[in-house]
Amino acid sequence: MASSVDLKNVQGDILSGLAKKAEAFFFFKIVNVEDFRKHLHKLLPLISSSEKVVSERERIEQHRRSQSGLLPVHFANIAFSSKGLKSLGVTDDIKDGGFAAGMLADAEALGDEGTSSSGKFDPDWSPEFKKEIDGVILGAAQNRRAVEQHLGELLKILHHSIEEIFNIIGHVRPGKEDGHEQLVVAPFIELANDSSFGFQDGISNPAVNGFDKELPGEGLIDPGVVLLGRNGDPIQRPSWALDGSFLAFRLLDQLVPEFEKFLIENALQINDPSASGSELLGARLVGRWKSGAPIDVTPLQDDPVLAADPQRNNDFQYDKASQERCPFAAHTRKMNPRSDLGETVVDPHRIIRRGIQFGPEVSHDEAASHKTTEERGLLFVSYQSNLAQGFQFLQKNWANITQFPPQKPQVPGFDPIIGQAVGGDNSGARTMSGANPDSVATSLDLGFQRWVVPKGGEYFFSPSISTLRDVLAANEVKTELDSVVPASLDRRGLSSDSWAQDNDDDYDDDSDVDFDFDFDADEDSDDETKTTSSDVNDKAEGSALDHPHAHMKYIASLVGKTLNRFHSWNTGGSLMGGHGMLEHIRPMQPMPGVHKWTITNIAQRDNTGPVSNSGSHQQQHGLFESSREPLGQGTSQLQRQDAVHYIPLSGVDINRQNKGPLPTKNGIQLQRQKKIRLPQHEPAQLQHQNKIRL
């Protein structure tokens, strides 16, 4: 079991949380697997690791201390449903039944309202979440406009390989409400981005050993409680699951005006005239005041100073036998029972809560009528290594169970914020005890009204950066020419001597071709370094064929560089002809291998159908086309090769954009291509080759 946390390998939202004022969730279905895997490779440089998020948070803090305004930042993460992983060819059992089944199948057991017919439960969800969802893209930035722009850039890379299922953007609340939910806290929140109900949300996320510095009362958990394959995850996982985490997403409507009406109608009667009975009731239902101050520490009035002090706002334990200071059923006590059970029991069920509010502020008309007319609430996200011990457990075994916490002098009742009655259509009445500190045994009727209403969701897996790169995206191919392709073999496996003898009539042994490469690191520079074919062979150290014309070998894959992997180019038949053709040489051993471009006298046909030339020229003068897109930034790029044409008896004419022609020798003319850029310490790029006519 791996022990340390590799911040470069973990997606950034899991451990640190994407720094944001706005966040987009784009749910999608993969419609072209091959294209998606290829485009995912280009997306990789934009996927934010935990290391990047930590670095950006430090930069944000420095900016905040010295300047006003928001620092422009943007982040992206991606996660996949079980269906999505299967569509990408990943069929290994990751050993999580909830993830495999999906949240739609789990809705009834979670307590979501719905209807049953012929033994099938249909939750009252938004229709989009009843469709098949393969994945979700998370995009975050400093404001909504920046998020929209960033998401547009991400989707442009993925192009038409996906289709939108649902797209929603959340944002923090404005002004002094920044960080507060409008009405209540979100499920499992112990609060930190503020909820629509006006309570500070997310204060008590656990500290992760090896990443966080533990603050008083937070609780220190093993990384394997959140990350698969790390210490604390007792399940044997597939190797590709290491450093990934299950993401539980819930679209939660929050009925803010209705919640406020309930608090007013059931306001507690207290002797302090300066205190608000409705605010006290709200604090006892949640377990914290709107500021985030815990009622167990300050039971009768809010204390914003305490709430803002991270050394004190979590430093408390519950009285196991009493709910005078904090009700047994209070939302924060249900989700983190602390001393009611002890950390040994509680820690395996801790989750990392993320998410953000969505929707407008409550309007004057809504507040006056106590009726919600605009959709608002929480885009809830939690991360855990085991859904059955994390999100599912908290909802099903703690929030929905009236006897939890166990062995109490009064029956605790439902979690008043997210607890759901299970049975029938999941629409039963709810009660709780302990709401009134002066009469803790009295039961408070919560009625049939729910103030947090699930409208959809899904279980996803947020893979590690390395799994995105090596398993899910189209594979990079490492080019190690000498060790993979013996110099004595060509594409057909013939010895170079046989190859030369076979085709001696097709070439002038004295022919010489200059290959003009631009090794200038500056794309805009006109300085060039010309390298002859013999220089290329010297650099390849004997990897070229031993044919007299082997200097015509056009090595696009240089040692230590990478090119994209083209899966289909080994499927077409060879066209044996007397005129040279660029050929894709596949590796002589399993991947990673070498892919190189060669001018030989084999024409390798793609799987795009028969060549278009007629008569006897079909075997000598084939047409080869490929519409492959380039790799993404930071990798070697072999961009689209639009056409290779054979023209009988015309010699070789290779055009290179925006450059003058090279001298013609022995009937062979080469014109320089746009540019081959080999910056120092950077991958090689083979730019767009518009045309090769033979």
Side-chain angles (χ1 to χ4, degrees), residues 82 92-102 106 228 233 235-238 245-247 384-392 459-461:
S82 177
D92 298 341
D93 184 4
I94 201 170
K95 298 181 180 177
D96 193 291
F99 173 70
D106 201 26
L228 278 71
D233 177 16
I235 301 175
Q236 189 68 34
R237 311 283 189 174
S245 186
F246 291 113
L247 184 166
Q384 53 269 295
S385 66
N386 188 326
L387 287 165
Q389 295 298 311
F391 169 84
Q392 291 178 312
Y459 298 131
F460 298 96
F461 179 67

Side-chain angles (χ1 to χ4, degrees), residues 257-277:
E258 289 84 350
F259 181 73
E260 292 288 353
K261 180 182 179 182
F262 178 85
L263 297 182
I264 293 171
E265 292 178 345
N266 294 274
L268 297 173
Q269 302 299 315
I270 51 181
N271 296 325
D272 186 351
S274 65
S276 166

Side-chain angles (χ1 to χ4, degrees), residues 639-690:
Q639 298 201 357
R640 189 175 61 232
Q641 186 174 9
D642 284 329
V644 178
H645 294 285
Y646 279 87
I647 301 176
L649 307 178
S650 66
V652 180
D653 180 2
I654 300 179
N655 292 322
R656 186 174 181 181
Q657 273 191 347
N658 303 327
K659 301 290 184 180
L662 292 173
T664 301
K665 188 170 183 179
N666 296 325
I668 299 177
Q669 183 184 50
L670 298 185
Q671 291 187 349
R672 293 173 300 190
Q673 194 190 1
K674 192 184 241 184
K675 195 169 282 238
I676 295 180
R677 179 169 170 262
L678 296 175
Q680 188 175 6
H681 307 306
E682 293 292 334
Q685 294 184 347
L686 177 59
Q687 300 287 348
H688 191 115
Q689 185 171 339
N690 281 332

Side-chain angles (χ1 to χ4, degrees), residues 57 123 149 290 309-310 356 358-359 374 415 510 534 660:
R57 283 188 174 276
Q149 180 178 355
K290 288 189 175 183
D309 186 351
I356 195 168
F358 74 93
E374 298 288 338
D415 180 325
D510 296 325
S534 60

